Amino acid sequence: MGLLSHLQNVLRDSQQDASPDSRDSALQLASAVLLLEMERADYQHDALERDTIQALLQDQFRLTTEEARLLLQEASEESEQAVSLHDYVSALNDYLTAADKLHIVRMLWQVAFADGHLHHYEEHLLRQLADLLHIPHHDYVRVKLQVSGEL
């Protein structure tokens, strides 16, 4: 089942007390898809970025190495088929607090800076995602400066 179908089921079932595990797995997948899109934004495959994504997923969602690897595999398949990031962002907006969404933006910055270079395509994608996640511009800039080590 693809993420879109899964999210539709979760959203439909949310009025009927959808299982927290189901909701959590949809949020994990949505987060992983966005992180992979950030990795691909500069059109360069970089092992440092992929390792950063795996470590962030393990830390954020308390996953084992194998669970994170499987999540990345599933997210990679999802993102290959995705026409838009709208469903993924919508899921995060529906279920995460402002602080949690800001943490997702922090993770995106960490991926963007993982290779030691911020490409303008990465920054552009991050700005779009921050806007879609309703992150205030001052928080977007503050987190960017913190992650880049400028603060």
Side-chain angles (χ1 to χ4, degrees), residues 60 93 108 126 128:
Q60 176 66 25
N93 278 328
L108 290 165
L126 225 151
Q128 287 181 322

Side-chain angles (χ1 to χ4, degrees), residues 3-4 7-8 11 30 84-92 94:
L3 178 65
L4 180 58
L7 286 174
Q8 288 171 336
L11 294 173
S84 160
L85 297 178
H86 175 75
D87 294 320
Y88 309 104
V89 172
S90 291
L92 297 175
D94 288 343

Side-chain angles (χ1 to χ4, degrees), residues 54-99:
Q54 182 158 338
L56 288 168
L57 291 173
Q58 284 180 244
D59 183 53
Q60 176 66 25
F61 300 116
R62 297 184 186 102
L63 302 175
T64 65
T65 302
E66 182 61 15
E67 290 169 332
R69 188 189 65 72
L70 291 172
L71 176 58
L72 277 172
Q73 182 179 344
E74 185 179 0
S76 183
E77 292 167 9
E78 283 288 330
S79 67
E80 292 291 326
Q81 298 173 15
V83 215
S84 160
L85 297 178
H86 175 75
D87 294 320
Y88 309 104
V89 172
S90 291
L92 297 175
N93 278 328
D94 288 343
Y95 291 106
L96 295 181
T97 65

Side-chain angles (χ1 to χ4, degrees), residues 5 36 44 54 61 69 83 86 89 100-101 113 129-130:
S5 301
L36 286 173
Q44 295 178 359
Q54 182 158 338
F61 300 116
R69 188 189 65 72
V83 215
H86 175 75
V89 172
D100 291 335
K101 290 188 288 184
F113 282 114
L129 292 173

Side-chain angles (χ1 to χ4, degrees), residues 67-150:
E67 290 169 332
R69 188 189 65 72
L70 291 172
L71 176 58
L72 277 172
Q73 182 179 344
E74 185 179 0
S76 183
E77 292 167 9
E78 283 288 330
S79 67
E80 292 291 326
Q81 298 173 15
V83 215
S84 160
L85 297 178
H86 175 75
D87 294 320
Y88 309 104
V89 172
S90 291
L92 297 175
N93 278 328
D94 288 343
Y95 291 106
L96 295 181
T97 65
D100 291 335
K101 290 188 288 184
L102 187 59
H103 189 73
I104 297 292
V105 169
R106 176 180 302 282
M107 291 168 41
L108 290 165
W109 277 123
Q110 289 172 304
V111 172
F113 282 114
D115 62 1
H117 173 72
L118 178 62
H119 192 280
H120 64 276
Y121 289 156
E122 291 171 322
E123 189 162 19
H124 178 75
L125 176 60
L126 225 151
R127 180 68 244 160
Q128 287 181 322
L129 292 173
D131 284 344
L132 292 171
L133 291 168
H134 312 293
I135 301 298
H137 187 70
H138 67 275
D139 287 335
Y140 163 85
V141 172
R142 180 178 49 80
V143 171
K144 174 187 177 182
L145 294 174
Q146 287 173 344
V147 172
S148 71
E150 293 180 28

Side-chain angles (χ1 to χ4, degrees), residues 11-68:
L11 294 173
R12 183 177 49 251
D13 295 343
S14 66
Q15 297 168 342
Q16 302 168 346
D17 297 326
S19 100
D21 288 342
S22 176
R23 190 172 30 246
D24 288 348
S25 68
L27 293 173
Q28 290 173 9
L29 189 56
S31 299
V33 166
L34 294 185
L35 293 170
L36 286 173
E37 287 300 315
M38 182 55 59
E39 175 193 32
R40 295 179 181 137
D42 62 2
Y43 299 102
Q44 295 178 359
H45 176 71
D46 188 305
L48 282 173
E49 289 179 338
R50 182 57 62 104
D51 292 346
T52 298
I53 292 170
Q54 182 158 338
L56 288 168
L57 291 173
Q58 284 180 244
D59 183 53
Q60 176 66 25
F61 300 116
R62 297 184 186 102
L63 302 175
T64 65
T65 302
E66 182 61 15
E67 290 169 332

